[in-house]
Amino acid sequence: MEKFEKIVGFIRESFNTPNDFIPLHQPYFTGKEKEYVIDAIDSTFVSSVGEYVNRFEREMAKVAGTKYAVATVNGTSALHIALLMAGVKKDEEVLTQAFTFVATANAISYIGAIPNFVDIEEDSLGIDPAKLEKYLEEIVELKNNEPYNKQTGRKISCCVPMHTFGFVSTIVEIIDVCKKFNIPVVEDAAECIGAKVGEKPAGSFGKLGAFSFNGNKVITCGGGGAIVTDDEALAKKAKHITTTAKVPHQWEYKHDMVAYNYRMPNLNAAMICAQLESLNHFLTNKRELANSYQNFFLELEVPFVTERSGTTANYWLNAIMFTDLKERNAFLAYSNENGVMTRPGWELMNTLEMYKDCPKDDLSTSNIIFERLVNIPSSVRK
Ligand SMILES: *Cc1c(COP(=O)(O)O)cnc(C)c1O
C-alpha cells in the first residue's frame, strides 16, 4: 500500500492536482481550434467538402512521411478502407496482435475476413517478428506464390501490426518477415502520430497506414481519421470509396460502385488542422512527463515502459508493470478510488466472445502483459 500511495502521490504532484480527479488522457485546446471552427461555420462549408479537409490531407501526409493522406470520419473507418485497399477479401485471414484495441479486429471483420491472432514482444508491446516468422513457417503454404494457411485452407491476405500506446513496434523486421511470405502490411497507426524509427514516421512503413483522432488520442477533432500511403492509385481509390464513389460532375448523381460515407466533415477538419499545429509542443510536453515518470519509477523499482533505442515514442499513454494480476488489480482499485484514473491493458481479442474461435498462435507474452500492465495519466500538462 505504501508503494501505491507513493505512485498516486507522484502522479498528483506531476499534474499539480492535489485533490481533483485526474483523467487518463484529456484533450488540450489552446491553439486556433475555435478560430478555424468559426471560420468553417462562417464559410457554410461545415460538412463533407471544404478547404480544411484539403489542407488537413496535405499536412497529414507531411506528418506521416507519406505522399498521400485521405481524411476519414474516424480511425476504424480508415483501417477498414486501408484493409480493402491492401486487397483483403471476405473469408481471408488477417494477422494481427491479440493485445490491441477492439477496432483493429472489428475492421478486419467488416470485410468478412477472419483475424488470426499473434503474440507481442515485451519491450515494444508490438508483434514479435521472430515468433511471427516461426508461426508463419509452421502454418503457411505458398500456392502460386500466394500465402495460404494450411490449417484452415484460407488465404492470409494481410498483416496489421499496431504501435501500442505510441511505442513503435519492430516494424522493419515485421515487414521483412511478411515479405518472405508475400503478405502485405497495413499499420494500425491509430495511437502513434509523431512516433518514429530513426527519422521515418510510424505509419509510413506498410503499404498503407491508418491514424485516429478520437477524443482520447494525442491530437483530436472529436472524431476523425486518416489513411496514408505512398501509392497514388490506392490513395485515389481510397478517396473515392470513402466519399460514396461519386463520379465528379457539377450536378449529376453518378456513383460507380457500392461505397461508404466515411468522409471527415470540414468542421472536424478545421479542428484537426489547429491540433496539428500544436503537435510538436504536445510531443515535447509528453516526453518531459515520461522522463520524469521514468526517474521516479526507476527509484521505486517498478518497471516503466520506455521507447526502444533507435525509435521515438510519442508517449501517448505511459505504462507501468506490476508483478502479477493480483497486484495490478489492487493498484487499479486503489488509484481509481483515489481519483486518479488508471486502466489495465485491453482484454486479449481471442478472449472476447466474437473472436474466441479465431485462429491464433501461442499468446503467452500477450497474457503476461495483460496481467501486469497499467496505463497511468498521460495528458499534456498545462
Ligand atoms: C483508437 C484506435 C482505433 C480506432 O480509432 P477510432 O477513431 O476510435 O475509430 C483503432 N485502433 C487502435 C489501436 C486505436 O487505439
Side-chain angles (χ1 to χ4, degrees):
M1 266 317 194
E2 199 199 341
K3 179 160 110 181
F4 293 177
E5 230 175 279
K6 277 188 185 161
I7 297 174
V8 163
F10 188 76
I11 294 170
R12 288 205 165 281
E13 205 178 292
S14 301
F15 284 90
N16 200 9
T17 304
N19 301 304
D20 293 347
F21 174 71
I22 301 178
L24 193 65
H25 199 282
Q26 71 186 130
Y28 193 53
F29 307 116
T30 51
K32 295 187 168 162
E33 288 83 5
K34 284 181 188 165
E35 184 187 322
Y36 291 176
V37 168
I38 289 168
D39 181 50
I41 292 169
D42 287 344
S43 78
T44 74
F45 285 93
V46 293
S47 191
S48 44
V49 290
E51 265 321 299
Y52 285 110
V53 175
N54 302 334
R55 173 169 160 185
F56 165 63
E57 288 181 341
R58 286 193 303 272
E59 281 167 15
M60 185 61 208
K62 276 188 222 151
V63 170
T66 54
K67 288 194 183 137
Y68 308 97
V70 175
T72 60
V73 70
N74 56 45
T76 311
S77 59
L79 201 52
H80 176 196
I81 300 306
L83 288 167
L84 277 180
M85 295 301 101
V88 176
K89 293 183 188 67
K90 189 173 183 292
D91 296 330
E92 295 179 344
E93 278 176 23
V94 175
L95 301 154
T96 195
Q97 55 209 65
F99 187 71
T100 185
F101 179 57
V102 71
T104 318
N106 285 346
I108 295 166
S109 303
Y110 295 167
I111 302 177
I114 296 108
N116 187 332
F117 298 115
V118 297
D119 209 7
I120 56 170
E121 39 179 12
E122 191 160 344
D123 53 348
S124 76
L125 302 178
I127 290 178
D128 181 333
K131 205 161 172 180
L132 176 69
E133 182 165 28
K134 197 165 153 272
Y135 183 51
L136 291 178
E137 272 163 5
E138 240 169 68
I139 66 163
V140 169
E141 165 182 41
L142 289 170
K143 291 188 205 164
N144 294 326
N145 228 10
E146 293 195 328
Y148 280 80
N149 184 339
K150 282 189 273 201
Q151 295 164 355
T152 61
R154 291 189 288 248
K155 186 179 167 185
I156 299 176
S157 54
C158 197
C159 177
V160 186
M162 197 272 281
H163 303 287
T164 309
F165 308 138
F167 297 104
V168 190
S169 69
T170 323
I171 188 67
V172 175
E173 291 79 355
I174 293 168
I175 290 178
D176 280 347
V177 169
C178 289
K179 261 198 194 129
K180 279 177 65 179
F181 295 90
N182 242 334
I183 300 171
V185 169
V186 167
E187 289 172 79
D188 183 341
E191 304 179 354
C192 73
I193 191 161
K196 290 174 185 168
V197 181
E199 283 306 307
K200 191 169 163 58
S204 69
F205 288 85
K207 194 167 177 164
L208 303 113
F211 287 88
S212 165
F213 306 104
N214 187 36
N216 61 347
K217 298 283 163 44
V218 172
I219 57 170
T220 183
C221 54
I227 303 160
V228 300
T229 183
D230 282 328
D231 187 316
E232 187 182 2
L234 289 184
K236 282 192 171 149
K237 219 169 137 187
K239 184 72 186 175
H240 191 59
I241 201 171
T242 51
T243 55
T244 65
K246 187 175 181 304
V247 182
H249 189 281
Q250 220 178 335
W251 58 81
E252 278 175 5
Y253 286 112
K254 207 169 264 173
H255 303 262
D256 60 5
M257 64 188 293
V258 176
Y260 301 88
N261 179 11
Y262 278 176
R263 293 177 280 208
M264 175 190 281
N266 199 45
L267 267 184
N268 300 67
M271 225 172 134
I272 204 66
C273 283
Q275 285 267 288
L276 270 176
E277 293 172 355
S278 300
L279 179 61
N280 284 337
H281 163 63
F282 287 3
L283 293 176
T284 308
N285 187 302
K286 289 171 78 66
R287 175 166 296 271
E288 279 166 13
L289 173 64
N291 283 338
S292 143
Y293 271 152
Q294 186 177 357
N295 293 332
F296 169 77
F297 286 112
L298 190 69
E299 212 162 283
L300 205 64
E301 294 179 15
V302 170
F304 175 75
V305 184
T306 55
E307 63 197 5
R308 286 171 307 117
S309 72
T311 71
T312 308
N314 67 10
Y315 287 102
W316 172 47
L317 287 186
N318 291 291
I320 52 178
M321 302 279 191
F322 288 96
T323 46
D324 53 27
L325 188 62
K326 196 170 156 231
E327 193 190 30
R328 181 203 80 162
N329 287 343
F331 178 73
L332 284 168
Y334 179 85
S335 49
N336 284 292
E337 277 160 16
N338 283 282
V340 169
M341 185 172 171
T342 60
R343 282 269 182 93
W346 307 281
E347 302 272 338
L348 300 188
M349 290 303 108
N350 58 295
T351 65
L352 303 181
E353 181 59 29
M354 60 285 193
Y355 296 121
K356 70 181 189 334
D357 297 324
C358 292
K360 59 177 189 287
D361 190 16
D362 166 78
L363 299 171
S364 44
T365 304
S366 305
N367 265 307
I368 291 168
I369 298 297
F370 170 70
E371 289 185 354
R372 296 180 53 199
L373 183 141
V374 171
N375 287 125
I376 54 177
S378 302
S379 311
V380 171
R381 292 182 295 175
K382 305 221 160 65

